[in-house]
Amino acid sequence: TFIIVDYVNKKGVSYGESMLSPILAPLPFSQSAVISIFDLNEDDMRSALITTKQTFGYVGDWGLGTNIIADVYLAFGIFGVLILFPFLGYLVHYSKNNFYNSLLALSLYSVLLSYAIYLARAEYFYFFRYFIWCYLILLFSIKIQKVTKS
């Protein structure tokens, strides 16, 4: 966290660029397409890689990692922390209260619950890939089950 605070003080926030990799991860080839179209550095699309580069000067086989607060702070500063954490709390609350009524809420709550301990040491949207995959698998399974019953 202190490395990211120092980085933001020197270079400013990334305005979401540091969150792009986990957001684009569910879509095949989307990361390489965005890198090519917008001429971005792939190491700047993840806060964990930025932390490692700031400390060691290069990205090797291992790194320092990140945490959820540093990830949000790097992307949007203190304003982002004040906005995105209540939003994450809302997602948990919504999915918990609608667990039995909605396939979307069921898959969201299941993924958030499975990452409850790890999410503190991960990037903010780390669970997003697994949520999308889980939701699509459940959706297709239900559709296939309906077709085979008919």
Side-chain angles (χ1 to χ4, degrees):
T1 305
F2 295 112
I3 294 167
I4 294 296
V5 169
D6 188 46
Y7 181 86
V8 169
N9 287 340
K10 290 178 184 172
K11 297 187 179 184
V13 296
S14 70
Y15 298 104
E17 182 183 349
S18 61
M19 290 181 144
L20 282 177
S21 186
I23 291 172
L24 297 172
L27 305 168
F29 308 110
S30 61
Q31 291 181 32
S32 58
V34 167
I35 289 169
S36 298
I37 292 169
F38 297 106
D39 194 32
L40 298 174
N41 181 356
E42 69 179 292
D43 292 346
D44 293 339
M45 292 174 58
R46 295 188 64 203
S47 63
L49 296 177
I50 293 171
T51 306
T52 302
K53 248 169 99 172
Q54 274 301 113
T55 305
F56 300 118
Y58 65 95
V59 177
D61 294 337
W62 58 277
L64 295 178
T66 189
N67 62 60
I68 194 168
I69 293 181
D71 186 49
V72 174
Y73 186 76
L74 174 62
F76 301 110
I78 194 71
F79 182 70
V81 172
L82 294 174
I83 298 297
L84 288 178
F85 277 95
F87 178 71
L88 183 60
Y90 171 78
L91 284 179
V92 173
H93 178 75
Y94 167 81
S95 61
K96 181 180 177 248
N97 288 341
N98 295 302
F99 186 81
Y100 296 108
N101 304 328
S102 165
L103 183 63
L104 181 72
L106 169 71
S107 56
L108 179 62
Y109 190 66
S110 299
V111 170
L112 286 173
L113 188 61
S114 69
Y115 280 102
I117 294 175
Y118 179 71
L119 196 56
R121 286 284 300 146
E123 294 160 325
Y124 187 85
F125 288 109
Y126 186 81
F127 69 92
F128 188 64
R129 173 192 323 191
Y130 305 102
F131 162 64
I132 295 294
W133 291 348
C134 179
Y135 180 68
L136 290 176
I137 289 169
L138 284 173
L139 193 66
F140 288 136
S141 298
I142 290 171
K143 297 283 184 191
I144 289 170
Q145 186 179 18
K146 285 181 181 178
V147 168
T148 57
K149 282 186 177 179
S150 326

